[in-house]
Amino acid sequence: MNKPAGVIVISILYFLGAAFLALAGILFIVGGGTMAAMMSQQGQGGSGLATMMGVLGAGMGIFFLVFGAIDAFVGVGLLKLKNWARIIAIVLSAIGACFQLFGLLGSLTHFNIGSFVITLIFLGIHATIIWYLMKPEVKAAFQAGQVRAASA
């Protein structure tokens, strides 16, 4: 059985997400270190605040790099039609949809049309991923991949 086209698209989205998260992680690590160095050179807030900025930048950078690695791992699993990757993608999309619902409530509370539209777009993407990966024919493609691997 061939890979469904939607699975390829979803895995590309995961690879794009991994690239953006890796970039954000690197920027946080470099930016936190740069801010710490600038603060300590100018004597603003003492060395404690500069150290805190460096640690915060490194911590956030590592956080983003770890989630970027998870996204890349799921993207590879989806391309290889691994059922665990399909389940993780569904769970991650459900978590993302929940966060987008909170964002939707926030954009309604302090109405901003741009934020509202972007939140709706991302909510739609998460919902579409969940719907698509739960379709019987897509689920069957992942199970056929498991059968092929077991028989080889």
Side-chain angles (χ1 to χ4, degrees):
M1 179 176 232
N2 292 334
K3 283 182 201 140
V7 172
I8 296 170
V9 171
I10 293 170
S11 63
I12 289 171
L13 289 174
Y14 270 96
F15 290 134
L16 288 173
F20 282 121
L21 286 169
L23 180 63
I26 292 168
L27 289 176
F28 264 98
I29 291 171
V30 171
T34 303
M35 288 292 292
M38 287 174 29
M39 289 174 75
S40 65
Q41 284 178 354
Q42 292 180 355
Q44 293 178 349
S47 64
L49 187 60
T51 302
M52 189 175 80
M53 286 300 293
V55 169
L56 182 66
M60 289 299 294
I62 290 170
F63 175 82
F64 283 123
L65 288 174
V66 166
F67 276 95
I70 290 171
D71 272 5
F73 191 60
V74 171
V76 169
L78 287 171
L79 281 179
K80 292 183 177 181
L81 295 177
K82 301 292 185 183
N83 198 41
W84 58 262
R86 183 184 73 84
I87 293 168
I88 291 173
I90 291 169
V91 169
L92 289 176
S93 287
I95 292 169
C98 289
F99 281 120
Q100 292 303 321
L101 285 173
F102 286 126
L104 192 64
L105 290 174
S107 68
L108 287 175
T109 304
H110 306 287
F111 192 71
N112 179 347
I113 190 70
S115 172
F116 181 75
V117 169
I118 289 172
T119 303
L120 277 179
I121 290 170
F122 278 104
L123 183 61
I125 290 171
H126 288 298
T128 303
I129 289 172
I130 293 169
W131 167 78
Y132 184 78
L133 290 177
M134 293 183 75
K135 287 174 63 174
E137 58 269 17
V138 174
K139 192 174 182 180
F142 279 92
Q143 290 171 347
Q146 299 296 337
V147 170
R148 259 194 319 263
S151 65

